[in-house]
Amino acid sequence: MSFQSLGPLAGAHSLPLQVAFQRSELGVILSLYGRMVAAGEWRDYGISCLREVAVFSIFRRTAEHPLYRIEKRPKMQGKQGQYAVIGMDGRVLKRGHDLRTVLRVLERKLIRPVD
């Protein structure tokens, strides 16, 4: 089920009430999340669906600030791309139009030298 557009606000210009990840987008994100949990890197996540942005927050521990935020901002679709990965310090690590391409910045963390 997609909550991309839950309908217009009364008197507004057809603005969605909230932005959300579609099922296919969540599948891509959760696939990466599962691999990182199996590798012992990540332990918890949270999803926020706000008016202008949907955020998938990734945590090492539940009580911490998120290590990374994966954001979807539809208003940026025509500019730099609607997807972004943001680090703990607030820096944009990668932004783009294709979610899989943007998430590659996090997949590099899975690649480790073999002893």
Side-chain angles (χ1 to χ4, degrees), residues 10-110:
H13 299 298
S14 178
L15 295 174
L17 292 175
Q18 68 186 45
V19 174
F21 292 102
Q22 294 177 359
R23 181 174 286 178
S24 59
E25 294 166 330
L26 279 175
V28 171
I29 294 169
L30 289 172
S31 174
L32 172 63
Y33 177 79
R35 292 192 311 270
M36 294 301 267
V37 167
E41 295 292 321
W42 299 345
R43 303 240 181 335
D44 200 7
Y45 71 90
I47 299 175
S48 301
C49 299
L50 307 171
R51 181 162 179 144
E52 294 191 13
V53 62
V55 181
F56 188 97
S57 300
I58 300 163
F59 299 89
R60 184 165 301 165
R61 290 177 193 76
T62 305
E64 291 184 343
H65 294 287
L67 290 173
Y68 302 103
R69 294 188 330 260
I70 300 166
E71 294 188 353
K72 175 182 177 181
R73 292 183 181 270
K75 285 188 177 182
M76 297 292 288
Q77 188 170 8
K79 298 175 184 171
Q80 297 172 333
Q82 68 178 338
Y83 302 109
V85 173
I86 299 168
M88 184 186 290
D89 58 0
R91 287 185 303 135
V92 176
L93 303 177
K94 182 85 172 167
R95 183 181 299 277
H97 298 282
D98 180 63
L99 181 59
R100 289 180 194 275
T101 303
V102 171
L103 292 180
R104 283 190 193 135
V105 73
L106 298 176
E107 289 179 351
R108 292 184 195 142
K109 307 262 183 231
L110 279 174

Side-chain angles (χ1 to χ4, degrees), residues 2-14:
S2 172
F3 297 101
Q4 180 67 23
S5 177
L6 295 177
L9 294 171
H13 299 298
S14 178

